[in-house]
Amino acid sequence: MTQTATFHDLDGASVFITGGGSGIGASLTEGFLEQGAKVTFIGRSDASEFAQHMAEKHGNAPLFIQGDITETATLQAAIAAAEETHGPVTTLVNNAANDKRHSTAEVDDDFFDWMMAINLKAYFFACQAVVPQMQKAGFGSIINFSSISYMMGNAGYPLYTAANSGINGMTRSLAREFGPDKIRVNALAPGWVLTQKQKDMWVTEEGLQAHLDRQCLKDTLDPDDMIHGVLFLASNTSKMMTGQALVIDGGVVVTG
């Protein structure tokens, strides 16, 4: 990552990131560490090696908690541990998600519940847990990752697009509810970010070219392209911005 801006108020800030050990989340963890933030992240897979590498690289060790965000008690306990270690969390990044492909016909109750649990329910309960800490601190910023997929009307993962649309609605309602506490709540909608998972599972030459044809900017999106948008939303640079959806997609969808 090439650091192009310094957000001074993030130095020493307590930050909590879901899925912060891989993909976009790993880039966000490093981006906050470079700003001097105290980062806690949760992930289902073991990211101890990544956390150690970050500590050696930046001299700023993140706190890694292994756990499943679909287990509400586990998720909220991790947020409590972040406060105990780093002080009240003042930035929450709900990043973890799963865009598993599926057709409408194959969805059953269990799959529906699982998709909502990871893509929407965990977002809500992370917000619920962090709000008292932000109220204690006197301010906070919540950043909920959504996706342009629902804006495009994409087929192939209807529960994922439903959850992402729901994230926008939840974001706006929470922004209204907690604005008096100086807690800002915004969404960030990436385009097709080429994480290793995407390359391994979904990217084809034809599909990628078709998507690039729809972008105004013809470069592919990398995880690092999400960092500065998130840092902007976390910092006081965006102190009067709340209830909004920031799109970083190379110019596929049009908002406004």
Side-chain angles (χ1 to χ4, degrees):
M1 169 195 167
T2 300
Q3 185 171 307
T4 60
T6 301
F7 298 89
H8 301 287
D9 59 309
L10 296 180
D11 188 3
S14 177
V15 178
F16 188 91
I17 303 171
T18 65
S22 63
I24 294 172
S27 289
L28 300 181
T29 294
E30 183 162 19
F32 277 105
L33 291 174
E34 287 189 343
Q35 298 290 327
K38 300 173 182 177
V39 178
T40 304
F41 70 92
I42 186 172
R44 188 173 58 181
S45 300
D46 185 6
S48 301
E49 186 175 337
F50 168 72
Q52 181 62 34
H53 174 62
M54 289 294 99
E56 294 170 355
K57 182 176 180 180
H58 300 290
N60 183 8
L63 172 62
F64 165 56
I65 299 172
Q66 189 166 3
D68 187 341
I69 65 168
T70 67
E71 298 171 356
T72 301
T74 298
L75 173 60
Q76 295 196 330
I79 292 172
E83 179 181 28
E84 184 176 343
T85 303
H86 294 151
V89 172
T90 53
T91 294
L92 167 66
V93 184
N94 275 317
N95 158 76
N98 194 305
D99 61 346
K100 182 177 176 64
R101 290 352 185 222
H102 57 277
S103 67
T104 297
E106 67 185 298
V107 173
D108 59 19
D109 278 356
D110 288 342
F111 183 72
F112 183 98
D113 290 344
W114 179 77
M115 284 293 285
M116 290 301 114
I118 194 168
N119 291 307
L120 184 59
K121 178 183 174 182
Y123 281 50
F124 177 86
F125 283 107
C127 293
Q128 183 191 68
V130 84
V131 160
Q133 297 186 27
M134 293 180 173
Q135 289 170 327
K136 184 187 301 184
F139 67 98
S141 176
I142 295 172
I143 302 152
N144 294 320
F145 265 69
S146 179
S147 168
I148 67 167
S149 58
Y150 82 93
M151 302 179 198
M152 297 174 68
N154 283 350
Y157 38 28
L159 297 183
Y160 178 70
T161 57
N164 277 286
S165 181
I167 287 167
N168 264 10
M170 182 185 73
T171 294
R172 293 174 182 178
S173 291
L174 296 183
R176 182 71 61 183
E177 183 174 357
F178 297 109
D181 298 307
K182 295 186 178 180
I183 297 172
R184 299 182 296 108
V185 190
N186 291 290
L188 190 147
W192 197 1
V193 180
L194 300 188
T195 63
Q196 192 58 51
K197 176 184 175 182
Q198 293 295 313
K199 294 175 182 178
D200 292 343
M201 300 187 69
W202 316 123
V203 174
T204 65
E205 184 177 348
E206 297 80 9
L208 181 58
Q209 186 58 55
H211 190 82
L212 284 171
D213 288 344
R214 298 183 70 170
Q215 288 186 192
C216 298
L217 303 173
K218 301 307 179 182
D219 294 324
T220 57
L221 292 166
D222 296 318
D224 283 2
D225 292 320
M226 301 300 111
I227 295 173
H228 287 95
V230 172
L231 295 177
F232 166 73
L233 291 175
S235 79
N236 284 331
T237 308
S238 59
K239 73 182 183 70
M240 292 305 292
M241 181 176 174
T242 194
Q244 306 302 311
L246 177 65
V247 176
I248 304 177
D249 70 348
V252 176
V253 298
V254 178
T255 61

